[in-house]
Short mmCIF file of all heavy atoms in Angstrom, two decimals:
data_model
loop_
_atom_site.label_atom_id
_atom_site.label_comp_id
_atom_site.label_asym_id
_atom_site.label_seq_id
_atom_site.Cartn_x
_atom_site.Cartn_y
_atom_site.Cartn_z
N ASP A 1 -56.06 37.47 11.48
CA ASP A 1 -55.49 38.71 10.92
C ASP A 1 -54.40 39.29 11.83
O ASP A 1 -54.28 40.51 11.98
CB ASP A 1 -56.58 39.76 10.68
CG ASP A 1 -57.54 39.36 9.58
OD1 ASP A 1 -57.09 38.71 8.61
OD2 ASP A 1 -58.74 39.66 9.69
N LEU A 2 -53.63 38.39 12.44
CA LEU A 2 -52.52 38.80 13.30
C LEU A 2 -51.21 38.55 12.57
O LEU A 2 -50.93 37.43 12.14
CB LEU A 2 -52.55 38.00 14.61
CG LEU A 2 -51.38 38.25 15.57
CD1 LEU A 2 -51.40 39.69 16.08
CD2 LEU A 2 -51.42 37.27 16.74
N THR A 3 -50.41 39.59 12.42
CA THR A 3 -49.13 39.48 11.73
C THR A 3 -48.02 39.16 12.72
O THR A 3 -47.87 39.85 13.74
CB THR A 3 -48.79 40.80 11.01
OG1 THR A 3 -49.81 41.10 10.07
CG2 THR A 3 -47.44 40.69 10.30
N ILE A 4 -47.27 38.11 12.45
CA ILE A 4 -46.11 37.75 13.27
C ILE A 4 -44.87 37.85 12.38
O ILE A 4 -44.71 37.09 11.42
CB ILE A 4 -46.23 36.33 13.84
CG1 ILE A 4 -47.49 36.21 14.71
CG2 ILE A 4 -44.99 35.97 14.66
CD1 ILE A 4 -47.73 34.80 15.24
N ASP A 5 -44.02 38.81 12.68
CA ASP A 5 -42.82 39.03 11.87
C ASP A 5 -41.66 38.14 12.28
O ASP A 5 -40.88 37.69 11.43
CB ASP A 5 -42.38 40.49 11.97
CG ASP A 5 -43.38 41.45 11.35
OD1 ASP A 5 -43.95 41.10 10.29
OD2 ASP A 5 -43.60 42.54 11.91
N TYR A 6 -41.52 37.92 13.59
CA TYR A 6 -40.38 37.15 14.09
C TYR A 6 -40.84 36.13 15.13
O TYR A 6 -41.75 36.40 15.92
CB TYR A 6 -39.35 38.07 14.76
CG TYR A 6 -38.74 39.08 13.82
CD1 TYR A 6 -39.26 40.39 13.74
CD2 TYR A 6 -37.67 38.76 13.00
CE1 TYR A 6 -38.73 41.32 12.88
CE2 TYR A 6 -37.12 39.70 12.14
CZ TYR A 6 -37.65 40.97 12.07
OH TYR A 6 -37.11 41.89 11.21
N LEU A 7 -40.20 34.98 15.13
CA LEU A 7 -40.44 33.96 16.14
C LEU A 7 -39.13 33.67 16.85
O LEU A 7 -38.11 33.43 16.20
CB LEU A 7 -41.02 32.69 15.51
CG LEU A 7 -41.43 31.61 16.50
CD1 LEU A 7 -42.77 30.99 16.12
CD2 LEU A 7 -40.35 30.53 16.60
N ALA A 8 -39.17 33.70 18.20
CA ALA A 8 -37.95 33.50 19.00
C ALA A 8 -38.13 32.35 19.97
O ALA A 8 -39.24 32.02 20.37
CB ALA A 8 -37.61 34.78 19.75
N ARG A 9 -37.00 31.74 20.35
CA ARG A 9 -37.00 30.64 21.33
C ARG A 9 -36.59 31.17 22.70
O ARG A 9 -35.57 31.85 22.85
CB ARG A 9 -36.00 29.56 20.91
CG ARG A 9 -36.34 28.87 19.60
CD ARG A 9 -35.44 27.67 19.37
NE ARG A 9 -34.04 28.02 19.21
CZ ARG A 9 -33.08 27.69 20.08
NH1 ARG A 9 -33.37 27.06 21.19
NH2 ARG A 9 -31.83 28.02 19.82
N GLU A 10 -37.37 30.84 23.73
CA GLU A 10 -37.04 31.30 25.08
C GLU A 10 -35.73 30.69 25.58
O GLU A 10 -34.97 31.33 26.30
CB GLU A 10 -38.17 30.96 26.06
CG GLU A 10 -37.96 31.57 27.43
CD GLU A 10 -39.21 31.57 28.28
OE1 GLU A 10 -40.20 30.92 27.90
OE2 GLU A 10 -39.20 32.23 29.34
N SER A 11 -35.43 29.46 25.17
CA SER A 11 -34.19 28.83 25.61
C SER A 11 -32.96 29.58 25.12
O SER A 11 -31.89 29.53 25.74
CB SER A 11 -34.13 27.38 25.14
OG SER A 11 -34.10 27.30 23.73
N SER A 12 -33.09 30.31 24.01
CA SER A 12 -31.95 31.06 23.50
C SER A 12 -31.63 32.27 24.36
O SER A 12 -30.57 32.87 24.22
CB SER A 12 -32.21 31.51 22.05
OG SER A 12 -33.24 32.48 21.99
N CYS A 13 -32.55 32.65 25.26
CA CYS A 13 -32.25 33.70 26.23
C CYS A 13 -31.27 33.20 27.28
O CYS A 13 -30.59 33.99 27.95
CB CYS A 13 -33.53 34.21 26.91
SG CYS A 13 -34.68 35.02 25.78
N ALA A 14 -31.21 31.86 27.45
CA ALA A 14 -30.22 31.26 28.35
C ALA A 14 -28.91 31.06 27.62
O ALA A 14 -27.85 31.49 28.08
CB ALA A 14 -30.75 29.93 28.89
N ASN A 15 -28.97 30.40 26.47
CA ASN A 15 -27.77 30.22 25.65
C ASN A 15 -28.19 29.80 24.25
O ASN A 15 -29.27 29.25 24.05
CB ASN A 15 -26.82 29.18 26.26
CG ASN A 15 -27.51 27.85 26.49
OD1 ASN A 15 -27.79 27.12 25.55
ND2 ASN A 15 -27.78 27.53 27.75
N GLY A 16 -27.32 30.06 23.31
CA GLY A 16 -27.60 29.69 21.93
C GLY A 16 -26.68 30.39 20.97
O GLY A 16 -26.24 31.52 21.21
N SER A 17 -26.35 29.72 19.88
CA SER A 17 -25.48 30.28 18.82
C SER A 17 -24.15 30.77 19.38
O SER A 17 -23.61 31.79 18.93
CB SER A 17 -26.20 31.41 18.08
OG SER A 17 -27.36 30.92 17.43
N GLY A 18 -23.63 30.04 20.37
CA GLY A 18 -22.33 30.40 20.91
C GLY A 18 -22.35 31.51 21.94
O GLY A 18 -21.28 31.94 22.41
N HIS A 19 -23.52 32.00 22.29
CA HIS A 19 -23.65 33.07 23.28
C HIS A 19 -24.39 32.58 24.51
O HIS A 19 -25.18 31.63 24.44
CB HIS A 19 -24.39 34.27 22.69
CG HIS A 19 -23.73 34.87 21.48
ND1 HIS A 19 -22.57 35.61 21.54
CD2 HIS A 19 -24.08 34.83 20.16
CE1 HIS A 19 -22.23 36.00 20.33
NE2 HIS A 19 -23.12 35.54 19.47
N GLN A 20 -24.16 33.26 25.63
CA GLN A 20 -24.87 32.98 26.88
C GLN A 20 -25.45 34.28 27.41
O GLN A 20 -24.92 34.88 28.35
CB GLN A 20 -23.93 32.34 27.90
CG GLN A 20 -23.43 30.95 27.51
CD GLN A 20 -22.60 30.32 28.59
OE1 GLN A 20 -21.65 30.92 29.09
NE2 GLN A 20 -22.96 29.11 28.98
N PRO A 21 -26.56 34.72 26.83
CA PRO A 21 -27.14 36.01 27.24
C PRO A 21 -27.47 36.11 28.73
O PRO A 21 -27.28 37.16 29.33
CB PRO A 21 -28.41 36.09 26.38
CG PRO A 21 -28.15 35.21 25.22
CD PRO A 21 -27.32 34.09 25.74
N ALA A 22 -27.97 35.00 29.32
CA ALA A 22 -28.34 35.06 30.74
C ALA A 22 -27.10 35.30 31.61
O ALA A 22 -27.13 36.13 32.53
CB ALA A 22 -29.04 33.76 31.15
N ARG A 23 -26.02 34.59 31.34
CA ARG A 23 -24.79 34.80 32.10
C ARG A 23 -24.25 36.22 31.89
O ARG A 23 -23.74 36.86 32.82
CB ARG A 23 -23.74 33.78 31.66
CG ARG A 23 -23.99 32.37 32.13
CD ARG A 23 -23.65 32.18 33.60
NE ARG A 23 -23.74 30.79 34.01
CZ ARG A 23 -23.49 30.36 35.24
NH1 ARG A 23 -23.14 31.23 36.17
NH2 ARG A 23 -23.60 29.09 35.55
N LEU A 24 -24.36 36.71 30.66
CA LEU A 24 -23.89 38.04 30.36
C LEU A 24 -24.68 39.08 31.14
O LEU A 24 -24.12 40.00 31.74
CB LEU A 24 -23.98 38.32 28.86
CG LEU A 24 -23.53 39.69 28.40
CD1 LEU A 24 -22.04 39.88 28.67
CD2 LEU A 24 -23.81 39.89 26.92
N MET A 25 -26.02 38.93 31.15
CA MET A 25 -26.82 39.91 31.87
C MET A 25 -26.61 39.81 33.37
O MET A 25 -26.63 40.83 34.07
CB MET A 25 -28.30 39.76 31.53
CG MET A 25 -29.08 41.04 31.86
SD MET A 25 -30.84 40.94 31.52
CE MET A 25 -31.40 40.14 33.00
N GLU A 26 -26.40 38.61 33.87
CA GLU A 26 -26.09 38.44 35.29
C GLU A 26 -24.88 39.29 35.68
O GLU A 26 -24.86 39.93 36.73
CB GLU A 26 -25.83 36.98 35.61
CG GLU A 26 -25.45 36.72 37.06
CD GLU A 26 -24.85 35.35 37.28
OE1 GLU A 26 -24.87 34.52 36.35
OE2 GLU A 26 -24.32 35.12 38.39
#
């Protein structure tokens, strides 16, 4: 009875879909 609305990939925090979030936050 646990609702999961969204599933995310940890690797996308490094890069994904043309973005580099880790570099940006650095």
Side-chain angles (χ1 to χ4, degrees):
D1 292 326
L2 176 65
T3 301
I4 301 177
D5 294 321
Y6 298 96
L7 186 137
R9 297 189 295 113
E10 187 164 11
S11 64
S12 68
C13 295
N15 56 72
S17 298
H19 301 287
Q20 294 185 308
R23 288 283 187 180
L24 179 64
M25 200 181 83
E26 177 195 351

